[in-house]
Amino acid sequence: MTTVYERRAAVPRPSRARRRPRPSPAAPLLALLWAGAAAVVALWWSDTRSVVGTAGWLTDAGRIAGLLSGYGCAVLVALMARVPFLERRIGSDRVARWHAMAGRYTICLLVAHVTLILFGYAAQDGSGIVHETVSVVFDYPDMLKATIGGLVLFAVGIVSAGAVRRRVSHEFWYYLHLLTYAAVFLAFFHQLTLGSDFVGNAWARSAWYVLYLGTAALVGWFRLLAPIRLNLRHRLRVESVHREAPGVFSVVVRGERLDELGARSGQFFRWRFLADGLRWTSTPYSLSAPPRPDLLRITVKALGDHSAAIGLLRPGTRVWAEGPYGALTAERRTAPKVLLIAGGVGITPLRALFESLPGGPGDVTLLYRARTAEDLALGAELEAIAKWRGAQVLYAVNGADGRRPRFTAESLRAAVPDVAAHDVYLCGPPALARDLYGALHAAGVPDRRIHHESFEL
């Protein structure tokens, strides 16, 4: 089927020129985060004169757990503020994993803080744990708010656990997560009111205010004001919807001055279609063609109620988008030759890269894995691009008996003899990605040349 993306003037062949890839800021950023944690420990150490008795040990252990939990709250919120520097240079999937890890640490530290402080105070006052808990919650300043905030954070942590997360809807999980902001706000004040490390220490109080206000500013700008500005300025609407394969649809979105977004092939946006059943859910979908000054295109496979409804969108439907995000772009490239490996609907970002990656004949190869030939979405476009740029498209589909092709070092070398000299861009289901990582390593491809971004955020 011919789409508006194909009705265009001839596009110049991608240039061979390649910019030197910029080093990833992941390691320096992690070092900075751990340095912040070390500074928090140093604050506790400098303010701790001596620890005496069981009550003292419990209370001081609770203090350090509380300080680190408070620091962790700011870090995990900042990591999901969708700061473009992090989303585009490090990758949304890695930032999301850091957020999840920070969340686990923060919840564990929160539980330790509450438990140790209550038992320490009970030992100090010679009272029972229930009586001490009631007294702390209702008699200490700002503690009732902090208790509510802590319970909300604990609930978010439970729902985010894998066993629970798989059993609740994405909408419930998403909107419960939004309560994290309120929880952190409610818990903030008791830290300064009751925290002995902040009472009488103007420098520590100022640093804590800077940490939390800076985090609030990131969230306010990148998660609220920047999306509002984007959508008011670019006025996105559905242009057309096209069936690409069974259960797979492409949506072409028209807007104004889209080149100002700075979107690149391989990136994605979070899309909210303002239609019945879709307006309350924001979902990440990759660009399935290079962005144009007036058009963007995504390709979606019907895997649930939300994605299935995408194929029913009508032209003119308003669209609310956030982005662009993602680091699976040409900037990661380090070698003259590139191998793109797509699994299923993972073809979408790689189809855009297949068209736009710099290089001449023979420099780019695409390997496309699908269950059946009918599931090979965008096949006609891939063949046209391959012919135009002198590239090769290889397909791996199940046999007539349903047997799946295996990816091994030997099969990869048979398909691409000099695979070890390639950069490899990989996008597909997690199981396929794990298998391919092992096969690529065995085939001699170093880890720094394997570029992968997961969309299980």
Side-chain angles (χ1 to χ4, degrees):
M1 178 179 292
T2 302
T3 73
V4 68
Y5 253 86
E6 295 170 314
R7 299 193 295 269
R8 61 188 181 188
V11 180
R13 186 182 301 277
S15 168
R16 283 181 176 269
R18 289 181 289 108
R19 290 184 296 179
R20 190 172 186 177
R22 292 179 293 178
S24 170
L29 180 60
L30 281 176
L32 179 64
L33 294 178
W34 283 111
V40 170
V41 174
L43 171 65
W44 170 82
W45 181 266
S46 66
D47 198 49
T48 302
R49 300 292 180 263
S50 61
V51 181
V52 179
T54 301
W57 280 104
L58 290 172
T59 302
D60 277 285
R63 279 176 51 213
I64 183 58
L67 284 170
L68 288 172
S69 177
Y71 174 73
C73 283
V75 169
L76 69 91
V77 171
L79 286 175
M80 291 312 285
R82 296 178 185 168
V83 180
F85 175 79
L86 302 181
E87 299 278 338
R88 300 173 190 176
R89 294 290 307 281
I90 295 177
S92 299
D93 60 335
R94 181 183 290 187
V95 174
R97 288 195 295 271
W98 289 357
H99 168 80
M101 183 179 297
R104 288 190 288 270
Y105 287 151
T106 300
I107 295 300
C108 290
L109 288 166
L110 174 63
V111 172
H113 166 65
V114 172
T115 303
L116 292 167
I117 285 291
L118 290 177
F119 275 96
Y121 284 3
Q124 181 177 300
D125 297 340
S127 62
I129 188 64
V130 175
H131 177 271
E132 193 66 35
T133 300
V134 172
S135 174
V136 168
V137 171
F138 292 101
D139 297 339
Y140 284 50
D142 295 316
M143 270 308 303
L144 183 58
K145 293 185 293 186
T147 300
I148 296 172
L151 291 173
V152 171
L153 285 175
F154 190 64
V156 171
I158 291 176
V159 172
S160 297
V164 180
R165 173 71 181 89
R166 289 189 291 269
R167 289 172 169 78
V168 300
S169 68
H170 173 79
E171 290 78 9
F172 178 80
W173 173 86
Y174 174 78
Y175 287 109
L176 181 63
H177 257 65
L178 293 182
L179 292 177
T180 301
Y181 301 127
V184 172
F185 174 78
L186 290 171
F188 173 74
F189 296 100
H190 92 287
Q191 300 176 60
L192 301 181
T193 303
L194 300 175
S196 60
D197 301 281
F198 299 109
V199 176
N201 189 336
W203 284 103
R205 290 173 66 91
S206 297
W208 218 243
Y209 270 115
V210 168
L211 175 65
Y212 272 78
L213 290 176
T215 299
L218 291 176
V219 172
W221 179 257
F222 292 114
R223 295 209 65 165
L224 182 62
L225 298 180
I228 291 175
R229 178 181 180 275
L230 182 155
N231 288 279
L232 290 178
R233 181 169 180 78
H234 300 290
R235 300 179 181 277
L236 302 173
R237 290 184 181 272
V238 173
E239 172 79 5
S240 57
V241 179
H242 308 271
R243 182 180 182 275
E244 304 288 0
V248 179
F249 296 88
S250 285
V251 181
V252 178
V253 176
R254 183 176 293 277
E256 302 174 5
R257 301 181 294 272
L258 298 183
D259 51 322
E260 296 177 4
L261 293 173
R264 298 181 176 90
S265 296
Q267 291 187 310
F268 68 94
F269 287 75
R270 286 180 169 88
W271 304 90
R272 189 187 302 273
F273 297 97
L274 304 186
D276 292 342
L278 296 175
R279 66 179 70 247
W280 298 111
T281 303
S282 175
T283 307
Y285 294 123
S286 295
L287 299 175
S288 62
R292 290 172 52 181
D294 59 339
L295 297 175
L296 301 172
R297 190 184 76 175
I298 60 174
T299 301
V300 179
K301 183 176 178 63
L303 299 174
D305 293 341
H306 181 275
S307 52
I310 297 294
L312 303 177
L313 286 171
R314 295 181 177 181
T317 300
R318 292 175 59 194
V319 182
W320 184 274
E322 299 176 43
Y325 302 122
L328 195 70
T329 65
E331 291 187 348
R332 286 192 175 187
R333 183 177 179 180
T334 61
K337 293 187 175 183
V338 175
L339 171 62
L340 308 171
I341 306 180
V345 78
I347 188 61
T348 53
L350 301 191
R351 181 263 180 246
L353 284 168
F354 191 45
E355 179 176 342
S356 59
L357 275 173
D363 286 347
V364 180
T365 302
L366 173 66
L367 175 57
Y368 189 180
R369 166 78 177 101
R371 287 190 178 90
T372 66
E374 290 74 22
D375 294 324
L376 295 170
L378 308 172
E381 293 183 17
L382 297 174
E383 294 292 345
I385 294 170
K387 182 178 180 180
W388 159 63
R389 68 176 300 159
Q392 186 178 20
V393 181
L394 306 173
Y395 300 103
V397 299
N398 293 357
D401 58 355
R403 185 174 302 174
R404 301 175 58 185
R406 293 185 59 219
F407 288 108
T408 64
E410 292 72 23
S411 66
L412 290 173
R413 289 196 192 100
V416 185
D418 57 344
V419 63
H422 285 62
D423 266 301
V424 179
Y425 286 75
L426 172 61
C427 189
L432 176 67
R434 288 192 296 269
D435 291 344
L436 279 166
Y437 258 101
L440 289 166
H441 287 154
V445 182
D447 193 66
R448 68 180 183 276
R449 287 190 183 169
I450 303 176
H451 314 299
H452 170 244
E453 195 162 32
S454 168
F455 292 94
E456 291 194 332
L457 305 181

